[in-house]
Amino acid sequence: MSTPDSNPRFLVISELQRAEVFACAGEWVNADQCYATAVAVDDSPQSRLTFANSLAERERYNEAICQLTAALDMASETGDREALGVIFHNLASIYRELGDADLARRFQQRAVLQMDDCGPDELLGLANDAWLSRRTELATSLAVGCTMLEEDSEAALEAYATAAIFGGLVEDPRSAIRTLIHIYRQHQATGSNRLMGIDLLNLSALLCETGRHRTELNLVRQAVQHFDEAPAPASAAKARGVLKMLERMQSLREFDPSTN
C-alpha cells in the first residue's frame, strides 16, 4: 500500500502548494526548488506551465521559455489541445514583452486555433497584437470587449488598464489617466510592485500626451524603484532606458543659451 508521501501525484501537488507559499513570501530559491521537484516527478505539462508562469512573473523569460518548450513537446505528443492553447498563449505573452511582435502574433494565433472558444485572455492578447500592428480601432474594440467578459479581479484590472491606455492614446488621455490612477491604487493595496511599475509607465506615456513632462519624469523614476523591488529586471532595464531619454529631453528643455 502506498502512503501519501510515496504517491507521485500527491508529491507534485504538495510541492506546488509549497512553492506557492514560498513565492508569496518572496522566498524564490525555496520556491524554485519546490517547482523543480514537482517537474522532476510529473510527466504532464501542468507542472511546467505553473513553473513557467512563476518564472515569467519574475521576468526570467529565457527560463520560462525553456519550461514552456518542454511542456509544448509533451502536449504535442498527447494532442492536448487545451494545454497547447495555454502554452501558445503564454509564449505569445512572453515574446510580446521581449519586443518580438511578429513571433508574439504567430503564437497568439496558434493559441486561438487550439481553443473552441476565445476567452478574455486570448482577446486581450489579440488586442495587444492589433495595437502593435497599428490597427488602433481593432485593438481598442477588442480591449473594451475584454472588460465586458472578464470577471476575475486581477485580469479585469489588466483589461480595464489596456482599454484605458488604447483609448487615451487615441482619444482622451485625461479620462484614461483617472482610470489608471484608480488601478494603480488597487495594485498598491496588494503590494504588487511589478504591476505598480507598469501602471506608472503607462501613466507617464499618457502624461506625455498632455505635456506634463516633469510629472512624466517623476513617474518613470518611481516605476524603476517598483521594478527593482519586485524584482522585474527586464522592466527595470526598459524603464531605465526611458528615464535616460526623458532626462536628456528635460535637460534640453531647461537649457538656457544666454548662460553659455
Side-chain angles (χ1 to χ4, degrees):
M1 179 183 294
S2 66
T3 64
D5 290 336
S6 65
N7 185 309
R9 185 59 187 161
F10 180 86
L11 177 60
V12 170
I13 295 172
S14 175
E15 290 302 303
L16 291 178
Q17 289 174 338
R18 292 182 64 212
E20 185 67 21
V21 171
F22 284 129
C24 289
E27 298 181 23
W28 299 115
V29 173
N30 290 331
D32 287 348
Q33 289 175 346
C34 291
Y35 282 124
T37 299
V39 165
V41 299
D42 188 16
D43 59 356
S44 76
Q46 303 309 318
S47 294
R48 291 186 181 276
L49 272 168
T50 306
F51 192 10
N53 286 339
S54 174
L55 292 167
E57 286 174 2
R58 288 172 277 155
E59 299 188 350
R60 291 165 59 179
Y61 293 131
N62 289 336
E63 294 168 84
I65 289 170
C66 289
Q67 294 298 327
L68 289 171
T69 301
L72 178 60
D73 291 339
M74 296 176 191
S76 298
E77 288 179 5
T78 60
D80 188 340
R81 291 183 60 206
E82 182 178 356
L84 286 169
V86 174
I87 294 165
F88 288 138
H89 173 77
N90 290 355
L91 284 168
S93 298
I94 289 174
Y95 281 109
R96 204 176 289 117
E97 291 291 333
L98 292 173
D100 194 330
D102 181 61
L103 198 53
R105 184 173 60 254
R106 293 180 186 217
F107 276 123
Q108 192 64 65
Q109 290 171 347
R110 294 180 72 179
V112 171
L113 290 174
Q114 296 297 326
M115 299 177 179
D116 296 326
D117 189 19
C118 193
D121 287 342
E122 289 70 44
L123 281 178
L124 199 57
L126 291 171
N128 281 298
D129 291 336
W131 181 264
L132 292 173
S133 299
R134 300 184 181 181
R135 301 174 67 184
T136 55
E137 289 186 9
L138 175 60
T140 304
S141 177
L142 288 169
V144 171
C146 290
T147 65
M148 299 176 183
L149 294 174
E150 189 56 79
E151 296 180 357
D152 178 70
S153 58
E154 186 173 316
L157 287 179
E158 183 180 359
Y160 277 107
T162 303
I165 296 160
F166 292 171
L169 292 175
V170 173
E171 298 175 359
D172 180 16
R174 290 170 180 81
S175 176
I177 287 169
R178 290 192 292 271
T179 300
L180 286 180
I181 289 174
H182 175 70
I183 292 171
Y184 171 78
R185 287 172 178 164
Q186 290 186 264
H187 287 148
Q188 189 176 42
T190 60
S192 304
N193 272 301
R194 179 174 179 269
L195 297 178
M196 283 190 282
I198 292 171
D199 293 336
L200 292 180
L201 272 188
N202 290 331
L203 272 169
S204 72
L206 292 171
L207 286 169
C208 178
E209 296 295 310
T210 66
R212 297 164 63 183
H213 299 298
R214 285 185 180 276
T215 306
E216 174 192 10
L217 184 59
N218 289 333
L219 289 180
V220 176
R221 285 176 178 147
Q222 292 177 47
V224 170
Q225 293 176 358
H226 283 307
F227 290 137
D228 284 341
E229 291 175 14
S235 290
K238 175 184 174 181
R240 283 192 170 88
V242 173
L243 179 60
K244 186 175 181 180
M245 178 192 69
L246 292 179
E247 287 176 337
R248 185 165 58 249
M249 293 174 65
Q250 186 67 23
S251 296
L252 290 173
R253 279 192 290 268
E254 293 176 349
F255 176 68
D256 184 359
S258 65
T259 62
N260 196 3

